[in-house]
Amino acid sequence: MGIVIRGGTVVTAEQTQRADVYCEDGLIKAVGADLDVPAGTETVEAGGCFVMPGGIDPHTHMELPFMGTVTTEDFFSGTAAGFAGGTTTIIDFVIPNPKQSLMEAYHTWRGWAEKAAGDYSFHVAVTWWDETVRADMGTLVADHGVNSFKHFMAYKNAIMADDEVLVNSFQRCLELGAIPTVHAENGELVFQLQKKLLAQGMTGPEAHPLSRPPEVEGEAANRAIQVAKVFGVPVYIVHVSAKEALEAITRGQDGGQRVFGEVLAGHLLIDDSVYRNPDWDYAAGHVMSPPFRSKEHQDALWRGLQAGHLHTTATDHCCFCAEQKAMGRNDFTKIPNGTAGIEDRMTALWTHGVNTGRLTMNEFVAITSANAAKIFNLYPRKGSVSVGADADLVVWDPAATKTISAKTQMQKVGLNIFEGMTVTGTPAYTLSQGRIVHALGESRAVRGAGRYVNRPAFPTVYEAVKKRNALNMPTPVAR
Amino acid sequence: MGIVIRGGTVVTAEQTQRADVYCEDGLIKAVGADLDVPAGTETVEAGGCFVMPGGIDPHTHMELPFMGTVTTEDFFSGTAAGFAGGTTTIIDFVIPNPKQSLMEAYHTWRGWAEKAAGDYSFHVAVTWWDETVRADMGTLVADHGVNSFKHFMAYKNAIMADDEVLVNSFQRCLELGAIPTVHAENGELVFQLQKKLLAQGMTGPEAHPLSRPPEVEGEAANRAIQVAKVFGVPVYIVHVSAKEALEAITRGQDGGQRVFGEVLAGHLLIDDSVYRNPDWDYAAGHVMSPPFRSKEHQDALWRGLQAGHLHTTATDHCCFCAEQKAMGRNDFTKIPNGTAGIEDRMTALWTHGVNTGRLTMNEFVAITSANAAKIFNLYPRKGSVSVGADADLVVWDPAATKTISAKTQMQKVGLNIFEGMTVTGTPAYTLSQGRIVHALGESRAVRGAGRYVNRPAFPTVYEAVKKRNALNMPTPVAR
Amino acid sequence: MGIVIRGGTVVTAEQTQRADVYCEDGLIKAVGADLDVPAGTETVEAGGCFVMPGGIDPHTHMELPFMGTVTTEDFFSGTAAGFAGGTTTIIDFVIPNPKQSLMEAYHTWRGWAEKAAGDYSFHVAVTWWDETVRADMGTLVADHGVNSFKHFMAYKNAIMADDEVLVNSFQRCLELGAIPTVHAENGELVFQLQKKLLAQGMTGPEAHPLSRPPEVEGEAANRAIQVAKVFGVPVYIVHVSAKEALEAITRGQDGGQRVFGEVLAGHLLIDDSVYRNPDWDYAAGHVMSPPFRSKEHQDALWRGLQAGHLHTTATDHCCFCAEQKAMGRNDFTKIPNGTAGIEDRMTALWTHGVNTGRLTMNEFVAITSANAAKIFNLYPRKGSVSVGADADLVVWDPAATKTISAKTQMQKVGLNIFEGMTVTGTPAYTLSQGRIVHALGESRAVRGAGRYVNRPAFPTVYEAVKKRNALNMPTPVAR
Amino acid sequence: MGIVIRGGTVVTAEQTQRADVYCEDGLIKAVGADLDVPAGTETVEAGGCFVMPGGIDPHTHMELPFMGTVTTEDFFSGTAAGFAGGTTTIIDFVIPNPKQSLMEAYHTWRGWAEKAAGDYSFHVAVTWWDETVRADMGTLVADHGVNSFKHFMAYKNAIMADDEVLVNSFQRCLELGAIPTVHAENGELVFQLQKKLLAQGMTGPEAHPLSRPPEVEGEAANRAIQVAKVFGVPVYIVHVSAKEALEAITRGQDGGQRVFGEVLAGHLLIDDSVYRNPDWDYAAGHVMSPPFRSKEHQDALWRGLQAGHLHTTATDHCCFCAEQKAMGRNDFTKIPNGTAGIEDRMTALWTHGVNTGRLTMNEFVAITSANAAKIFNLYPRKGSVSVGADADLVVWDPAATKTISAKTQMQKVGLNIFEGMTVTGTPAYTLSQGRIVHALGESRAVRGAGRYVNRPAFPTVYEAVKKRNALNMPTPVAR
Ligand SMILES: [Zn+2]
Ligand SMILES: [Zn+2]
Ligand SMILES: [Zn+2]
Ligand SMILES: [Zn+2]
Ligand SMILES: [Zn+2]
Ligand SMILES: [Zn+2]
Ligand SMILES: [Zn+2]
Ligand SMILES: [Zn+2]
């Protein structure tokens, strides 16, 4: 039995048009005015609403193992919270320990994710290097639908990828047609700043941003981008929070390079005053890396998003409860890093992006859904409202308003970084695979209904990259 | 009777897919694999080819009156030459004399254009200012499908718009939901440099670029963009040729402003050595404004196009024959400014853009067609391959090769600025309004078949602009 | 009879050294450790103090005629207030009315200035253009020691220099070896914004900064610099207040151009919140052009000063009392523009520049004295502590502290923009022409003791400029 | 017995004046017009000449041990060649092997240097890290007149300093009041590019620049500067050759940081076409790191020098003969890196800097002498023409002309990178310690006459740096 969304205005990254959308078998079957639909078709009334592709959050950490425990949000609860916010697809991370087999880690995460209510995929982290890693990367791309690999430039003595790992892995990505992604913070600097701050008696969460100043991020972003440039590899920088990193991205793009940037809703909207809040739990609850920054950086990020230097928005959804955060009560370096947001990303961005005239609605779809789909080669299956696409849709009510609060959220975490923010424009209905999974504030998420989404290698950008690199092959001088 | 394009790969700004395209009544009726079509449908075999939206050239001057004569290319020959190159829509310019009524000029140009073979529209120039100009702008937008107005910052003592005209007209555009466009060269500087060069005995065409150095363009572009910023108006800079102008555009965009940039195929591919050619006719044949620049500027323009700072490509197609050019034999300031290009734009950009890996095919469609359609509010009627769109299509053979020459061109002018360039990737078939208008090198253009295309006011960008300006309204201090 | 300054540390733009300074006949006669001096020499004990060249304020408006009255500070009171703050030389402005002879205006100002207590010189404004202006510029340079000409890009319908004036005057400056200086604000934009704001009911001083936003200044600065570049002329931008203008200067310098920038102490230290003060007199008292800006601009100006993009600091000292300001009570465009500062410039910059580690002491001397002397060709007569130089010195007590207030100032104006600022580091003694003119808070200024200072043409920068321009001469193609 | 330089024009970084210079006991004793000098004083006639401070080359490698041999130029021949070119002081490098004691290496170099004809000092390289290194740095500063430490970011598996070494050493420099200097190339990238190029069959010297593209340098420069910023340390980048590195420096400076840049005469004047010369010896003779670059980079370097972003000029004088270069005949990575230049630096820069109008003469003195003296705390002992300064002087004949050639040079190396360059403006006389050491083309250098020059810690810049860092100390939140 199908479902039809009637009377809405379909908004995609390209255009805005009055149209009905008919879905069946999990797919969009028709888009057009006054569609004829089979008898028995369920109807969603979308008058006054916008019908948009479901959001894609390309950066989440559900059920992440950490210090003998796991984040409080699992793949089911997390994807269900995503539905509440209009997000229907996540790309999470497989993070092997150094020396751990990538394949083994991958299968572990696949197991955990089976409970997901919404569709999901995985970036796989490269945290070390040897020939088995190189081989496993090949297997993951060829046989397991992975087309992106993550590199942490921070977290020295743990999962940090040094220049040797970066250079090897980036070259391997180029061979495989995969996108290297980078958490850009200079791990050595963080390590030494932490030491210095603790030595200065700075043990509280207010030291966290001081241990990771913008330069630490800008340096690493620039380094990753230069490495990519030297080998002709496209590169994607996750959670850009500092104008210095944005500038490094912009320089790369303006120099003809293929560089993609992701920004978190939190970094766009929260500033670093939270770390000097007298309430330790509140301050610690905002500890994440990179940290929230001053307003100057927020302004820069918004402009970067408007100008197209940043392509995607995410959350880095990674939930730790107050008890977990309290592990770092006497030492800020031991506070688990992470904040939530998957439930609020789209409404917060609509309110502060579309309602303020920073973004058009089409740009909103691009940065919440279509661009991620294109970069990670899911388009038009995801990120579009077109015949044949997955029926992942959100019916958006631009007039609906609410105040965000941890008290009323689905997210499994005690603190909401957007607490008290009044938003205008929220999901009325969310559809995943052609089924209503969230309706007028009520969850209809089904445990295990989510599917693993294969992402083919060689996204469009590679078409250009390969030609460019071929033209740039060196030639010897005959002597 | 319909026509179906079979077996091709449809390439749009968003995606690439194997699909047939069925057209009828001048419109695209279906896009999909293995389409069922009515009996009697004409078939175009597109195996191995790409099917793309017909090109839009947003900057041409057909049949431009000049010094008692007119450019050699009229609306029929010019649009037919466009078909040969895959371009199916032009936006030309109505240029009133100072003190001439805008409405009168508009109707004059409409009359001339009736012979066009392809669809066309008009930017209208604002070359002076009073209340009738203000009123006529309103009439043109309300009743005549004009949504863009052109401003020449050069040509002192002729059609130059000084700051007073700019400021008035830009504010009027904002009220009307129209896009101001700008020819950015500081007319006072050009005037004084011409005088100085002539006084130095520099009378030949090699003085032309010296009278319009990059600073002259950069200054004007920056000025127009700042004027636009101060009043919150979107702005479009035509024929960006200098990196200084590109940088002004980039600064505007990176500062959150809505600025669009156009670049000519010629400025991307021809350098300023042409002006020092010992053959006067050759040098004079390349005289246009802004002039061709050094390779450093070409590199910058390509990077600006790749990075998305420049949105559209055009030709400024404006043909003068050798006799006309010879009017300036003893004084370079009297050489009529203009060069051709509508027939070669797409193939030259494909060869040097797509084949070199600078652009993906999707980006090629964006910069030759879709972006112009979006900015000037023709999308998705033009610039897309979608059901309901005008059936303006080009079937592109990526393997076909030829050498560009004035000897073999349709363009009515003796000199081709791309003379001798070997291109790979050319149109096999061009369709306008669902009819084949150019097939395998043979023109089937029909005089007068082209239609005037109305462009509605308030393109998408205005959705954001209006909200932004409303938020920025000043408030008095209560005292 | 001579005077010796004993036991101090001499600080110049180049170095810091323990040395005595012996002065006689208005000149420095010796600099060295433990100087032998003639019997009867007066001694100034400078233990614990720094001995620096007296400050040069290259931008003041003493006794400026305005709307039938004059600014409250005349050349005597103004230069005496300068002594109190360590400033011993001013460069004021001759401002002819449009159509008024430059020579006539020059002589008028020379007459007014005879009462000055300290040395002075004049920039002469070019407010219109014809052949007599060209000729008078030549006379002023050849016979009257003028080597700089001022251009107001603002003040439409009054003293505004449009592009035609700019281009003619800049070229004339180049012939004469003079420095063109520029008040950079786009007069047309100011004019139209004033009209628009008044139409919106914005009549109070809070509208003043809105009528002159940073873009207005950035545009004009960029334009002046591009004009200068095209003709190979050095250029000096007065009172840079906006980061956009600073960026235009920086671009010029980084492109190989000779561009100088001046910044006011006020723009470095006061922000635009003053205009929204509920007290009209207070807000109006801060009305000057360009207006005070947000903190973001202040930060940028400090960085520009540190990085060497800005060379000089000034005050634009231009005093209007509350009654004069009140002329604009119902219309902010009628509030006389101007604020004071000559008494506080050096101590405010020491406190916020040297004491904060933004500037070394040597850099402090450069930006308060030596750089102005070099640019305007007074060095080493002014701006140095060297044998043969004018004995204009300040003995600076880095430990002395005070709180700035209109109540305790010498400046003849009711409001001090630095009111309440506690400064550390103030002049203990000021010497002009080898005489103590201010000692331990007490003025010893002598009416009429100041001298007009001739500034020769062709300052050092012209040595390079002339060679560069000669190399860049165009050559015709032989045909 | 003294010596007087008569009738010349003294040019310093600050000013130009007609003056005689009298020297005695190795020091300047008087500067002034028509000096009275003791009977028996030797006279140098300097009519028509400029008298300037002797050049300082802050980057040389005399007698550098390498692969069991040493560079062909020793401290005597090298400093004598410097005299021929007007350079009277060098700062060379002590380069300990990893794990070698800094003190041991320092004393070894001191021994080698005893034969020097001119004054010299040493930067000491930090090539590894442990507590003994930290301690030795303290000893070198406290007891041995060292105030700068060098870090090689290139040369993986040899002397490369990784981030851990950088961060530790930079912090140590801050404690000691020393300046960290950096050879900025990313060693990992060089290593991998060398491997890749060899694997592609690129074994000749044309592969050398490809293994060290501009990004490799820009990345490292940016990284070093960010590390310095995070800890508030001033930093000096040696041999800046790429615009990317210059831009990193400029960003640092414009952000308020204390960053110094050095550029080699070779990088300003030689382009990378040398590496594709069909003569292997010629190409290999130009192998140095960073390599010579394309003209675009040269232009950027000149502009950086003019704009004050680069402060010093050097040579990296490091001579290998053709036999030594031939060690890399089958593998470009084995060609010893280094080129000569100390004899030609000043005349080449005068010809292409002063004679072209890029630099004034005062700026020439700044970038060849005074700035190095200020940065490395030798001013005014070196770098000035002032009473009490070392009598290291060059009498410069601006009219003298010659053609540079290896055949006629003093430098002990077979190839001159400036071969065939005609220069105008050369030293007539060079004085060191008040003695003529080179006169009208004839060397009078004395083996062992040079002195080791102590450089005190805490150069002027530290005055500001310390205050700034104190203000930036973090404060905990009371909870
Ligand atoms: Zn991360
Ligand atoms: Zn993450
Ligand atoms: Zn034009
Ligand atoms: Zn045109
Ligand atoms: Zn002014
Ligand atoms: Zn003024
Ligand atoms: Zn080096
Ligand atoms: Zn070296």
Side-chain angles (χ1 to χ4, degrees), chain C residues 59 61 150 152 155 183 238-239 289-290 316:
Chain C
H59 191 153
H61 298 284
K150 172 76 173 288
F152 294 91
Y155 306 118
H183 171 129
V238 309
H239 53 40
S289 296
D316 205 356

Side-chain angles (χ1 to χ4, degrees), chain A residues 206 223 275 277 477 479, chain D residues 206 219 275 277 477 479:
Chain A
E206 68 273 21
R223 183 152 37 106
Y275 298 116
N277 191 292
V477 173
R479 285 187 176 104
Chain D
E206 69 273 21
E219 188 287 309
Y275 298 115
N277 191 291
V477 173
R479 284 186 179 104

Side-chain angles (χ1 to χ4, degrees), chain B residues 163 167-168 186 192 202 205-206 215 219 222-223 226 229 251 275-278 283 475-477 479, chain C residues 156 163 167-168 186 192 202 205-206 215 219 222-223 226 229 251 275-278 283 475-477 479:
Chain B
D163 285 7
V167 169
N168 280 296
N186 181 310
Q192 297 257 11
M202 296 288 299
E206 69 273 21
E215 292 79 13
E219 188 287 310
N222 185 68
R223 182 153 38 106
Q226 299 313 313
K229 185 167 195 182
R251 284 196 299 274
Y275 299 115
R276 297 191 73 84
N277 191 292
T475 54
V477 173
R479 285 189 177 105
Chain C
K156 182 177 174 176
D163 284 7
V167 169
N168 280 297
N186 182 311
Q192 297 258 9
M202 297 288 298
E206 68 274 21
E215 292 78 14
E219 188 288 309
N222 185 68
R223 182 152 38 105
Q226 299 313 312
K229 184 166 196 184
R251 285 196 298 275
Y275 298 117
R276 298 192 72 84
N277 191 292
T475 54
V477 173
R479 285 188 176 104

Side-chain angles (χ1 to χ4, degrees), chain A residues 46-66:
Chain A
C49 288
F50 299 114
V51 182
M52 304 187 289
I56 300 174
D57 189 333
H59 191 153
T60 66
H61 299 282
M62 305 301 170
E63 222 167 323
L64 181 71
F66 179 79

Side-chain angles (χ1 to χ4, degrees), chain C residues 399-418:
Chain C
T401 190
K402 70 166 186 176
T403 298
I404 294 175
S405 176
K407 295 203 185 75
T408 53
Q409 74 189 358
M410 288 188 62
Q411 295 175 152
K412 293 205 172 313
V413 68
L415 179 144
N416 189 308
I417 57 173
F418 304 116

Side-chain angles (χ1 to χ4, degrees), chain C residues 342-354:
Chain C
I342 195 169
E343 189 171 347
D344 308 312
R345 176 179 65 125
M346 293 179 74
T347 189
L349 292 176
W350 181 276
T351 300
H352 291 278
V354 175

Side-chain angles (χ1 to χ4, degrees), chain C residues 27 31 43 123 151 207 209 217 252 257-258 260 264 272 280 293 301 309 313-314 337 396 399 418 433 471:
Chain C
L27 301 176
V31 181
T43 297
H123 311 282
H151 307 80
E217 182 181 345
Q257 210 181 331
R258 300 289 179 164
F260 304 105
L264 307 185
D272 59 357
W280 191 94
R293 307 277 187 201
L301 295 176
H309 298 302
T313 54
N337 280 219
W396 195 263
F418 304 116
Q433 302 182 53
L471 281 179

Side-chain angles (χ1 to χ4, degrees), chain B residues 156 163-165 167-168 171 186 188-189 192-193 195-197 200-206 210 213 215-216 218-219 222-224 226-227 229-231 244 247 251 274-280 283 473-479, chain C residues 156 163-165 167-168 171 186 188-189 192-193 195-197 200-206 210 213 215-216 218-219 222-224 226-227 229-231 244 247 251 274-280 283 473-479:
Chain B
K156 182 177 174 175
D163 285 7
E164 189 172 337
V165 176
V167 169
N168 280 296
Q171 290 187 82
N186 181 310
E188 180 66 32
L189 284 173
Q192 297 257 11
L193 285 166
K195 253 185 14 184
K196 185 178 160 192
L197 285 157
Q200 289 171 328
M202 296 288 299
T203 59
E206 69 273 21
L210 302 177
E215 292 79 13
V216 161
E219 188 287 310
N222 185 68
R223 182 153 38 106
Q226 299 313 313
V227 169
K229 185 167 195 182
V230 160
F231 294 102
E244 287 80 356
E247 288 165 359
R251 284 196 299 274
V274 293
Y275 299 115
R276 297 191 73 84
N277 191 292
D279 177 351
W280 192 95
M473 282 291 288
T475 54
V477 173
R479 285 189 177 105
Chain C
K156 182 177 174 176
D163 284 7
E164 190 173 337
V165 176
V167 169
N168 280 297
Q171 290 188 83
N186 182 311
E188 180 67 32
L189 284 174
Q192 297 258 9
L193 285 167
K195 254 186 11 187
K196 186 178 160 194
L197 285 157
Q200 287 171 329
M202 297 288 298
T203 59
E206 68 274 21
L210 302 177
E215 292 78 14
V216 160
E219 188 288 309
N222 185 68
R223 182 152 38 105
Q226 299 313 312
V227 169
K229 184 166 196 184
V230 160
F231 294 102
E244 287 80 355
E247 289 165 359
R251 285 196 298 275
V274 294
Y275 298 117
R276 298 192 72 84
N277 191 292
D279 178 351
W280 191 94
M473 282 291 289
T475 54
V477 173
R479 285 188 176 104

